[in-house]
Amino acid sequence: MTDRQTQHPDVSATPHRSRSRRIVVPAVVLTVCAVLFGLPTWTVVFADSQWGSAVQIVGTALAVAAFLGLPIAMFLGHRPGPEGRTKDAWARLGDVLLGLVWIAFVWSALSLLLRLGLWFAGVDDPMRSRIVSVTTLGVVVVLALWGHYEAMRTPRVRHTTVKIDRLGARFDGLRVVLVTDTHFGPLDRTRWSHRLTDAVNALEPDVLAHVGDIADGSVDRRREQAAPLESMSATSARVYVTGNHEYFGEAQEWLDHMESIGWNALHNRHVVLHRGDDALIIAGVDDATAKGSGAPGHGADLPRALAGTDPSMPVLLLAHQPKQIGDAVEAGVDLQVSGHTHGGQIWPFSALVRLDQPVVHGLSSHGTRTQLYTSRGSGFWGPPFRVFAPSEISVLTLVAG
């Protein structure tokens, strides 16, 4: 190898990789879209149902339009660049198409069971395929309408009692209310945000925690939707940590904003609540993606968050992702609260979430002391649908051991 090659080993490789990426990524996206749209189209429009040519032409045209529209809308709506109303309009279209095609794909796949059952029952084509076609279409429409209602409704309140052995008697009955994954974004949910705030305030929390993913976009762009957060109240503390979506570029901006409206932004730090001689440490760490994001000074650091604390005191930890529980167990944390999973948001995506996270939702135990509560989240990301994964405002009542 020459000196010139040693100094610049990737001069020719970098453009090659860039060209390969420009070819491979679109090819993968189009292949995935073809599968997602192909199965529902075959199930509803073709598959030996012998619908008239008009139905087949219209159905195929709609499928092709959606097949082309999804990647175009997602690219135009979510690519980096100048932000504005036009970009949000494309994002809304892409998000809706993504949600609809996922629902349609899943239930088209499940319709194969209905087709098999009808075959065993002796129902022949075209009647068999027509029954499957109409049933599948009906189920997709109903689930899409119901799923959108579930996404846009005020989240249900979910109560959970958590026993903490080290909790002092004066903190027995402490009410911790969790709000997480609000994901204020392209679809304006300002009215929803006000309803969320009213619901939280009605619970009269002692501690109010927002466990990340406030918004998709900058503070200036999502300010109106996030404004009601300033009016959320708690008697003892309002605390916030970053989620992975803040690290798409606005993490420090959101931390500063939350501080400016009266919340404690727990950027690898803690606060201590006192009731007489009893104390409770509330600590927070950056999201698991923070270090890799390149944001200066960011990265989950639990030792730093707990620095200077009394190791005999109970610890409530805010960490956006459930998989951050390993550090919590090692540090002897009593309770970690997380979000991120959305409970899967659109079934059966929860099965895929489980591949990446130790828990999808609810209360779980880890190690000898640590418990983890994972919220399904209060909002939604992207597709404005929630199917078999309802949103929640989590109320944790802490009980002394």
Side-chain angles (χ1 to χ4, degrees):
M1 182 178 287
T2 66
D3 291 342
R4 184 175 181 180
Q5 288 173 316
T6 302
Q7 294 170 3
H8 305 285
D10 295 325
V11 170
S12 61
T14 301
H16 176 71
R17 285 197 299 268
S18 180
R19 287 194 298 271
S20 297
R21 180 178 175 82
R22 287 198 296 268
I23 296 172
V24 171
V25 172
V28 171
V29 170
L30 290 176
T31 300
V32 172
C33 287
V35 173
L36 289 175
F37 284 100
L39 181 59
T41 304
W42 177 83
T43 301
V44 175
V45 180
F46 298 101
D48 296 321
S49 56
Q50 298 179 23
W51 297 119
S53 58
V55 172
Q56 293 181 346
I57 291 172
V58 172
T60 301
L62 290 174
V64 170
F67 165 75
L68 296 175
L70 174 58
I72 292 172
M74 293 296 284
F75 174 75
L76 294 177
H78 294 285
R79 66 174 177 173
E83 299 177 340
R85 294 182 181 275
T86 301
K87 183 177 179 180
D88 275 353
W90 280 111
R92 288 193 294 270
L93 175 61
D95 291 342
V96 169
L97 287 175
L98 179 60
L100 289 176
V101 74
W102 175 251
I103 295 171
F105 174 80
V106 167
W107 290 91
S108 294
L110 291 175
S111 75
L112 296 174
L113 298 175
L114 174 59
R115 186 179 301 277
L116 182 62
L118 292 172
W119 179 77
F120 273 116
V123 180
D124 296 325
D125 281 327
M127 183 56 67
R128 179 171 67 236
S129 292
R130 289 185 176 186
I131 292 173
V132 172
S133 172
V134 172
T135 302
T136 302
L137 182 61
V139 168
V140 170
V141 170
V142 169
L143 287 179
L145 293 173
W146 174 63
H148 182 65
Y149 167 77
E150 283 290 325
M152 298 302 294
R153 63 164 291 160
T154 303
R156 294 174 176 83
V157 177
R158 185 178 184 188
H159 292 270
T160 305
T161 299
V162 184
K163 180 182 177 182
I164 297 180
D165 291 337
R166 298 197 300 172
L167 191 69
R170 291 179 177 83
F171 284 101
D172 187 76
L174 186 82
R175 290 162 61 85
V176 179
V177 174
L178 307 181
V179 174
T180 182
D181 299 280
T182 44
H183 284 285
F184 298 120
L187 183 63
D188 188 354
R189 285 181 290 140
T190 302
R191 293 173 60 185
W192 177 88
S193 184
H194 281 287
R195 296 201 312 271
L196 176 69
T197 297
D198 291 342
V200 167
N201 289 342
L203 295 169
E204 300 181 342
D206 296 307
V207 175
L208 175 60
H210 194 305
V211 199
D213 282 3
I214 286 182
D216 294 305
S218 65
V219 171
D220 285 343
R221 196 174 181 197
R222 307 304 179 202
R223 187 181 301 277
E224 185 176 357
Q225 293 183 60
L229 294 176
E230 185 172 5
S231 301
M232 286 188 180
S233 61
T235 58
S236 297
R238 296 188 298 170
V239 288
Y240 158 72
V241 293
T242 52
N244 58 303
H245 279 246
E246 279 88 335
Y247 287 99
F248 292 160
E250 297 86 18
Q252 190 60 52
E253 186 180 349
W254 279 108
L255 286 165
D256 293 343
H257 176 72
M258 292 298 277
E259 285 280 353
S260 74
I261 61 174
W263 290 64
N264 275 308
L266 301 183
H267 173 34
N268 294 320
R269 67 183 187 90
H270 68 270
V271 295
V272 183
L273 301 185
H274 294 277
R275 288 184 177 180
D277 294 331
D278 295 330
L280 173 65
I281 299 167
I282 304 177
V285 293
D286 296 342
D287 180 69
T289 64
K291 186 175 182 179
S293 72
H298 287 255
D301 189 342
L302 185 52
R304 176 183 165 194
L306 295 176
T309 60
D310 184 341
S312 68
M313 292 181 182
V315 178
L316 168 64
L317 174 66
L318 278 64
H320 180 65
Q321 298 195 42
K323 66 182 179 183
Q324 295 177 266
I325 190 64
D327 291 339
V329 171
E330 185 176 346
V333 167
D334 297 84
L335 174 63
Q336 174 179 315
V337 292
S338 300
H340 184 67
T341 69
H342 300 201
Q345 187 163 322
I346 303 177
W347 185 88
F349 206 78
S350 54
L352 299 178
V353 173
R354 187 64 180 80
L355 297 176
D356 182 55
Q357 301 291 336
V359 179
V360 176
H361 65 86
L363 185 65
S364 56
S365 297
H366 304 264
T368 58
R369 172 189 295 167
T370 307
Q371 298 180 79
L372 165 66
Y373 185 85
T374 305
S375 170
R376 289 190 180 100
S378 306
F380 59 86
W381 170 84
F385 305 99
R386 273 186 172 268
V387 178
F388 304 130
S391 58
E392 66 177 73
I393 300 169
S394 315
V395 181
L396 308 183
T397 302
L398 307 190
V399 177

